Amino acid sequence: METQEDCAIRRGQPVRRYQNDYKTDGHASSSMIVNQSQYLNVGRSTVRIAVYLMTGIFLTMDIEQNFTAHQILAMMQSEGELGLTRTSLFTGQTVFALWLCSSRLEVQLRPNHKPLELAAKWNRLIKKYSSQREESDEEPLLCLRRNVFLSRSDEEQIKEVKVLELLYAEARNNVLQGRYPCEGQARYASLGALQARIELGPYNPQTHTLAFFRRHRGRFLPHHYNSPSLLLGLGVGLGLVGGKGAPEARLLEQYKRIPSHTGTNTNSRKLIRKYLEFCWSLPCYGAAFFQGQIERPVRGLATWITNRDMQVLIAINSSGVYIVDDGQCSLLLGLRYPELCWEMAKPSDEANPDCLPCLFLQFPVRENGARVYKILQVFSRQAIMMDTLISGFAEEHRRHGADGDVANADRLTDHTIGANTGSFTNKLSKFTLATFDDEGECSINDCKQFVTFID
């Protein structure tokens, strides 16, 4: 008996594979819909779409306009080189999912979602869920990405080489974009060295010089290492940029230490696995990212004159909720579900476009030897989406007991994120916070300030 997936493949054209710089009709493909005029022709029942992968390629296929995400994934299964077997797509908790993504909004699609219908509504979704209030003609890309509901423990069991390569490409891009912050230069150097060994092969002293990595710094190190302010901070005046103290010099030294072995393919698979194992230990790994803003703490008269809001990313995965300054590649706050209470609040004046919904995040810390509770207010039009995702993950933790992490909350300090996230530190000085004691009494100064930004 023919299945729904078999029928989808039979009706559609073969999946075609291109590099991301492939040009059609003189224009680089940068849209979910490859042929816009075909899509606008009401008489046609099919449309050619592109699905973008983090490996630098995109696949094109002809689909019917009412195809679901599930059916499109089934068609992608026919592209043998991707290694997308039924195990990775449809059995149990799937490894990958389809996402609609643009610069202001990223949405993971459910299996029954119809991507073309959502893409047609994208500008309305942008207006509803982003800080941009003016009209936009931004088009989403249809992307294959890691399923946010895939647990790390399940991912660690994956053996398929092609699947691991896709996961590696996504993790690498998130590291370079500042979405997976590391603490300290040494960790970025380690990841950059592994990436270089995977993509460049064994160290060659004639080719892989310090000058080479200085020219290609942005390929192997996060974007914040290319900012002028950081370069000055690393000691331009002291001659450290390009010298022994420079990030690319650390990367090169780590790269040299990676042994060269025969059997390149086998060694590459082991290196990809090692890169992923490093990323699995990072707090934000596998998260869905949302855009928001927080109020900076008031310090001096000048702060009132300048814009006090800080744009941040809110990363939510199966372990917790994290506040990320992706511009500086810095993790500001990390909260595991057992230590987190939250509440979503609608804007007090919904008619005012500048009045945003928000999430209140409450968490315990140790302050001056006493246990107190801090509350952070995160403003975002995507608050309802975050609330839904947090609720689902928190319920899973309650159902499974979460390894007794509730007891661990008593060991929190005002700078520790959690035992399962390495040496990351919460940067509470970056936030405007309200403080409550065990009796629910609010610090007078904090409450005055808190009421000010709630009103």
Side-chain angles (χ1 to χ4, degrees):
M1 181 176 179
E2 188 177 49
T3 66
Q4 184 181 41
E5 290 88 293
D6 294 333
C7 188
I9 295 171
R10 178 175 58 78
R11 286 196 302 255
Q13 295 299 314
V15 175
R16 300 183 184 275
R17 173 181 178 144
Y18 302 105
Q19 292 295 321
N20 250 3
D21 58 356
Y22 173 82
K23 298 182 187 301
T24 175
D25 298 330
H27 299 284
S29 180
S30 60
S31 172
M32 170 186 169
I33 302 166
V34 175
N35 189 332
Q36 295 287 348
S37 61
Q38 180 188 47
Y39 179 60
L40 295 175
N41 187 342
V42 180
R44 298 191 65 95
S45 62
T46 64
V47 61
R48 178 161 296 176
I49 65 165
V51 181
Y52 291 79
L53 279 62
M54 304 300 276
T55 51
I57 67 169
F58 66 89
L59 310 176
T60 66
M61 63 194 80
D62 290 347
I63 68 167
E64 295 184 10
Q65 297 197 25
N66 64 349
F67 264 24
T68 64
H70 181 86
Q71 290 172 300
I72 294 171
L73 285 172
M75 291 184 67
M76 293 179 66
Q77 215 179 306
S78 67
E79 176 57 45
E81 288 188 47
L82 292 181
L84 299 179
T85 63
R86 279 190 172 274
T87 302
S88 59
L89 285 179
F90 298 121
T91 302
Q93 191 57 271
T94 58
V95 178
F96 298 105
L98 289 177
W99 292 67
L100 279 178
C101 303
S102 68
S103 64
R104 296 179 178 88
L105 184 64
E106 301 173 10
V107 178
Q108 178 174 315
L109 305 185
R110 296 193 187 100
N112 63 339
H113 275 150
K114 298 177 180 179
L116 286 173
E117 286 186 4
L118 288 175
K121 303 174 184 175
W122 195 249
N123 286 326
R124 276 182 280 166
L125 294 174
I126 288 288
K127 190 172 183 179
K128 181 176 180 179
Y129 292 115
S130 83
S131 56
Q132 176 176 315
R133 306 311 296 157
E134 64 272 14
E135 291 297 325
S136 168
D137 58 356
E138 188 172 77
E139 295 180 9
L141 298 182
L142 186 62
C143 303
L144 185 75
R145 290 188 178 182
R146 184 188 184 277
N147 181 357
V148 70
F149 298 108
L150 176 70
S151 70
R152 294 187 204 180
S153 58
D154 285 343
E155 183 172 341
E156 290 168 6
Q157 306 306 312
I158 295 172
K159 305 298 182 186
E160 295 93 340
V161 175
K162 296 296 185 180
V163 174
L164 290 173
E165 288 176 354
L166 289 170
L167 291 169
Y168 157 75
E170 184 168 346
R172 174 199 63 199
N173 286 358
N174 281 329
V175 168
L176 296 177
Q177 291 173 16
R179 291 186 162 197
Y180 288 173
C182 294
E183 200 94 329
Q185 287 188 45
R187 298 190 178 197
Y188 285 122
S190 296
L191 285 169
L194 280 171
Q195 181 191 338
R197 179 62 179 81
I198 292 165
E199 298 175 10
L200 302 177
Y203 168 67
N204 182 336
Q206 278 72 47
T207 305
H208 306 134
T209 62
L210 184 58
F212 170 86
F213 282 107
R214 192 181 304 132
R215 287 195 306 272
H216 299 282
R217 184 192 291 118
R219 177 178 171 184
F220 300 103
L221 292 167
H223 64 81
H224 76 299
Y225 278 112
N226 298 307
S227 69
S229 60
L230 181 87
L231 295 178
L232 286 171
L234 289 172
V236 173
L238 299 175
L240 293 180
V241 174
K244 291 183 178 180
E248 61 269 25
R250 291 171 178 260
L251 186 158
L252 177 57
E253 288 305 311
Q254 297 259 20
Y255 179 37
K256 289 178 181 178
R257 296 192 189 110
I258 300 176
S260 301
H261 299 291
T262 56
T264 305
N265 291 336
T266 300
N267 196 38
S268 178
R269 289 198 294 269
K270 289 180 179 178
L271 292 168
I272 285 174
R273 181 87 186 184
K274 190 173 183 64
Y275 190 101
L276 284 170
E277 286 173 353
F278 191 110
C279 290
W280 289 337
S281 69
L282 298 176
C284 295
Y285 184 78
F289 293 88
F290 302 88
Q291 297 179 357
Q293 58 197 66
I294 58 174
E295 292 211 9
R296 302 175 191 267
V298 179
R299 294 192 183 94
L301 181 61
T303 312
W304 288 102
I305 301 173
T306 59
N307 180 13
R308 292 174 52 214
D309 287 346
M310 176 193 299
Q311 301 297 319
V312 295
L313 287 179
I314 301 91
I316 301 172
N317 60 21
S318 59
S319 299
V321 179
Y322 306 91
I323 308 297
V324 178
D325 179 353
D326 62 321
Q328 296 299 318
C329 298
S330 176
L331 179 58
L332 303 178
L333 179 68
L335 304 170
R336 295 171 300 165
Y337 293 113
E339 66 203 36
L340 170 66
C341 292
W342 80 100
E343 187 71 41
M344 195 203 82
K346 294 183 179 179
S348 56
D349 181 6
E350 297 194 40
N352 182 354
D354 296 323
C355 195
L356 302 178
C358 69
L359 278 182
F360 291 101
L361 304 177
Q362 177 184 300
F363 53 96
V365 300
R366 189 72 60 183
E367 190 171 80
N368 299 322
R371 178 189 177 93
V372 297
Y373 296 88
K374 299 286 186 178
I375 295 182
L376 171 68
Q377 190 176 22
V378 180
F379 300 91
S380 174
R381 296 195 188 280
Q382 298 171 15
I384 189 170
M385 302 165 70
M386 291 187 274
D387 177 54
T388 301
L389 191 55
I390 292 171
S391 297
F393 283 134
E395 178 59 31
E396 281 293 309
H397 272 257
R398 281 192 293 270
R399 189 163 33 229
H400 297 295
D403 301 322
D405 277 344
V406 174
N408 292 337
D410 288 331
R411 296 201 296 271
L412 289 175
T413 69
D414 59 356
H415 61 275
T416 303
I417 285 182
N420 65 335
T421 56
S423 61
F424 282 94
T425 55
N426 278 331
K427 301 172 178 64
L428 299 188
S429 63
K430 299 285 187 180
F431 303 105
T432 298
L433 299 167
T435 305
F436 294 83
D437 61 22
D438 277 326
E439 303 299 323
E441 295 294 327
C442 181
S443 164
I444 294 177
N445 290 335
D446 283 345
C447 280
K448 287 180 179 177
Q449 191 175 63
F450 197 56
V451 170
T452 298
F453 69 72
I454 288 179
D455 289 344

